[in-house]
Amino acid sequence: RWSSDFQEVRADRMLFFRDELPEGRHTLRYLARVRAAGDATAPSTKVEAMYEPERVGLSGSVRVKAE
C-alpha cells in the first residue's frame, strides 16, 4: 500500500510528494472527471527525485474517449 505525504490539486495537474520511496515499481491511481463528451489526452506522468535529477521516470500518455 502506497500513499503520498503531501499532494496539490491544480487546475491543470496533480502533484504527489513522498519523503521516501523504496526501490521498485509503483502505481499511482486517481480519479479524473470528464466535463464534456469527446476525445481527450491524459498527459504522461513524470516522476523525479528532488535532490537527484538523474533519477527520473516517464509514462506514456493515454487517450480517453467520453460519450
Side-chain angles (χ1 to χ4, degrees):
R1 183 144 176 116
W2 188 90
S3 63
S4 61
D5 294 313
F6 180 75
Q7 61 185 349
E8 291 181 19
V9 179
R10 298 185 182 181
D12 62 337
R13 65 185 176 262
M14 293 187 67
L15 304 170
F16 297 93
F17 299 89
R18 286 284 301 173
D19 291 331
E20 293 183 28
L21 188 63
E23 194 173 310
R25 186 179 192 130
H26 303 278
T27 301
L28 181 64
R29 295 175 192 208
Y30 61 91
L31 176 66
R33 258 175 233 243
V34 177
R35 299 177 71 179
D39 290 337
T41 301
S44 62
T45 302
K46 181 178 182 183
V47 178
E48 58 186 36
M50 182 177 280
Y51 299 112
E52 298 176 70
E54 68 279 0
R55 292 184 66 192
V56 65
L58 294 171
S59 73
S61 59
V62 177
R63 175 165 261 176
V64 180
K65 183 174 181 175
E67 297 179 351

